[in-house]
Amino acid sequence: MFADRAKIFIKSGKGGDGHVSFRRELFVPNGGPDGGDGGRGGDVIFVVDEGLNTLTDFRHIRKYVAQPGEDGGKRNRHGKDGEDIIIKVPLGTIIKEAESDKVIADMSDSSKQVVVLKGGRGGKGNQHYATATMQAPKYAQPGQQSMELFVQLELKVIADVGLVGYPNVGKSTLLSRVTNAKPKIANYHFTTLNPNLGVVDLDGTKGFVIADIPGLIEGAAQGVGLGHEFLRHIERTKVIIHMVDAASTEGRDPVEDIKKINAELEAYNPKLLERPQIIAANKIDAIYSEEESPIHRLREEFESQGIKVFPISAVSGKGLKELLYAVHSLLESMDSEPVVFEQEFFPGEYMDHPEEPFTVLKLEDGLFSIEGPRIERMLGYTNLESEKGFMFFQNFMKDNGILEELERLGITDGDTVKIYGHEFDYYK
């Protein structure tokens, strides 16, 4: 099975904590603070590897974590920076935030390298907090927290032209005849599973890439069968060729086939119907009816909508030259830039405003409690025995709206506030 989708967990490195220490040397009885800074945490970096063409590897390894920065040390020793983690993906991979399905990065440039999650900053050692009035600070800055996300990787075929149609209309035969691709060809009612790519070379013109998108069935846009996996690949293409069995060798109506496929494309992504379309009416050498011409019906129905119909035989090669030059002409009239998905999700902004809730409760008259993961972490980092450290913690409470919430609940001077085993008297 063509591995074109994978969900993985990524996490950058936490910044190392700043160190609290004081210079202690012979003949220097009152040495100043010499706590070193923590090292920077490693980044999570995605790069394009043109040697890859599937996401198979991500089905076996689903967790990618960069190294944390080392803590600072005494004698101004700076902690070592954590190593970045490099994640290699195939060209054309879309990286999305898993929960919202919003695009973080489109890896459609062969030289692309994207830092998706930045490592945490290293914390400053206590040497940075010495002042004229506080010459022996007993606290240091904690390292910045790491960033973590579940991301969805999706591989979308990068091709100029998408070839769509119901199973057994001759798409694989056409691709094998006009390109260097070697798809398996047989009467498979369950259709091709892998998108086959091939390069079309036309005399006197620049070639183009055509992709045989696996056959569509009704309900594909609702995820029936492998619908979403197939439809995903069409989003990259600039021109769509609808291939139909004009001879109705399996009893299908070619006009209805085109309408149903367009309905599936519109249900999945309405913008797909804005792409130029061409109809390849295949198997004309098997048309024996002397009654109404299926080619005439197709032209009457669709050419008024600007969709040209080309009668062809993928087996004999009849009409293929005209079809390919018409496709080339359409491509020449279009913007040469590849279809690129714009960034919609910015991990940095998400982490700058972490949605870590805090809980402020009035337990009884004169007694309140405060809880929350960031508050618990800050307590672990802060020396509350130090006046400066206590003020640092109090400012954190004010900046995060916690004091405001206490006042809203009716706290007054002298009331008690409990925070993870600590008790404080409140004074405004």
Side-chain angles (χ1 to χ4, degrees):
M1 178 62 190
F2 184 79
D4 66 350
R5 210 162 187 223
K7 183 179 180 181
I8 63 172
F9 173 80
I10 58 174
K11 182 177 181 179
S12 64
K14 174 190 175 299
D17 294 339
H19 189 68
V20 176
S21 62
F22 298 90
R23 187 177 170 198
R24 292 291 180 263
E25 294 179 25
L26 196 60
F27 310 119
V28 186
N30 296 312
D34 68 351
D37 300 346
R40 179 188 64 82
D43 298 337
V44 178
I45 304 172
F46 283 79
V47 298
V48 169
D49 183 343
E50 294 196 66
L52 298 175
N53 52 23
T54 74
L55 298 174
T56 304
D57 292 348
F58 297 101
R59 295 194 168 185
H60 308 298
I61 304 174
R62 296 180 179 270
K63 188 175 182 180
Y64 297 83
V65 180
Q67 277 191 346
E70 283 188 359
D71 294 344
K74 57 186 178 182
R75 297 184 181 176
N76 300 325
R77 187 179 67 81
H78 194 293
K80 183 181 176 184
D81 290 344
E83 284 188 21
D84 300 333
I85 187 166
I86 307 293
I87 303 174
K88 296 179 179 179
V89 294
L91 185 66
T93 301
I94 307 292
I95 304 167
K96 293 182 174 181
E97 196 274 321
E99 190 172 336
S100 66
D101 206 39
K102 290 183 177 180
V103 175
I104 297 172
D106 182 345
M107 309 298 285
S108 59
D109 183 341
S110 60
S111 62
K112 195 152 191 178
Q113 178 170 310
V114 177
V115 178
V116 173
L117 296 182
K118 290 192 71 65
R121 280 191 318 272
K124 293 179 179 179
N126 68 331
Q127 59 172 310
H128 294 279
Y129 296 99
T131 65
T133 56
M134 175 60 66
Q135 297 182 9
K138 296 179 181 178
Y139 55 89
Q141 186 183 39
Q144 190 180 33
Q145 287 299 306
S146 59
M147 302 168 69
E148 58 184 56
L149 277 179
F150 279 97
V151 295
Q152 188 79 45
L153 306 181
E154 294 181 1
L155 179 59
K156 296 179 189 287
V157 172
I158 298 180
D160 300 302
V161 179
L163 184 59
V164 300
Y166 277 83
N168 298 325
V169 296
K171 295 189 285 111
S172 295
T173 304
L174 173 67
L175 194 72
S176 67
R177 188 171 186 99
V178 302
T179 76
N180 55 0
K182 298 285 185 282
K184 292 180 181 178
I185 300 168
N187 186 29
Y188 294 128
H189 276 273
F190 293 100
T191 192
T192 312
L193 291 181
N194 300 350
N196 291 301
L197 272 73
V199 178
V200 176
D201 292 315
L202 292 175
D203 291 340
T205 67
K206 187 173 73 173
F208 58 85
V209 179
I210 186 169
D212 167 16
I213 307 296
L216 295 175
I217 57 174
E218 289 179 65
Q222 281 72 50
V224 173
L226 297 173
H228 282 167
E229 281 77 359
F230 296 162
L231 285 160
R232 179 175 301 116
H233 295 292
I234 304 174
E235 290 185 280
R236 286 280 195 191
T237 60
K238 297 178 182 176
V239 173
I240 296 173
I241 298 178
H242 289 270
M243 197 162 184
V244 290
D245 176 1
S248 300
T249 57
E250 295 193 350
R252 303 192 64 86
D253 181 347
V255 172
E256 286 304 306
D257 278 3
I258 298 292
K259 288 181 177 179
K260 286 174 181 175
I261 287 174
N262 271 338
E264 293 300 328
L265 296 180
E266 183 176 28
Y268 178 72
N269 182 350
K271 288 187 177 179
L272 291 176
L273 289 192
E274 298 172 11
R275 309 272 162 87
Q277 298 184 11
I278 284 179
I279 294 172
N282 192 29
K283 304 187 182 182
I284 55 171
D285 44 3
I287 297 175
Y288 301 112
S289 173
E290 296 181 2
E291 300 171 4
E292 184 182 10
S293 163
I295 304 300
H296 177 72
R297 279 188 62 223
L298 284 164
R299 283 177 168 157
E300 194 173 56
E301 182 72 35
F302 296 106
E303 291 201 340
S304 61
Q305 302 174 32
I307 304 174
K308 290 207 167 187
V309 178
F310 289 84
I312 66 164
S313 169
V315 173
S316 70
K318 186 175 181 181
L320 294 186
K321 188 176 179 181
E322 291 80 3
L323 171 70
L324 296 177
Y325 274 100
V327 171
H328 177 266
S329 178
L330 267 178
L331 288 170
E332 285 290 293
S333 67
M334 298 175 69
D335 186 356
S336 60
E337 290 298 312
V339 177
V340 176
F341 295 86
E342 295 296 325
Q343 184 173 6
E344 303 168 316
F345 186 91
F346 299 85
E349 291 182 8
Y350 157 76
M351 291 304 294
D352 284 344
H353 307 282
E355 295 179 5
E356 288 189 325
F358 60 83
T359 305
V360 182
L361 296 174
K362 182 174 182 178
L363 303 178
E364 57 185 62
D365 285 345
L367 182 61
F368 299 78
S369 79
I370 303 171
E371 291 184 349
R374 289 186 72 202
I375 297 164
E376 187 175 18
R377 284 200 301 270
M378 187 60 69
L379 269 176
Y381 295 145
T382 309
N383 179 8
L384 297 176
E385 301 299 319
S386 149
E387 182 183 353
K388 194 82 170 180
F390 188 80
M391 287 178 62
F392 183 73
F393 184 69
Q394 190 162 310
N395 286 333
F396 164 81
M397 303 264 282
K398 181 179 179 182
D399 292 343
N400 284 273
I402 297 169
L403 296 184
E404 184 180 341
E405 183 65 14
L406 284 168
E407 289 172 7
R408 190 188 68 79
L409 290 173
I411 196 167
T412 58
D413 285 356
D415 286 351
T416 301
V417 180
K418 297 179 70 173
I419 310 177
Y420 291 101
H422 297 272
E423 289 194 0
F424 305 94
D425 291 334
Y426 176 84
Y427 290 98
K428 192 168 182 179

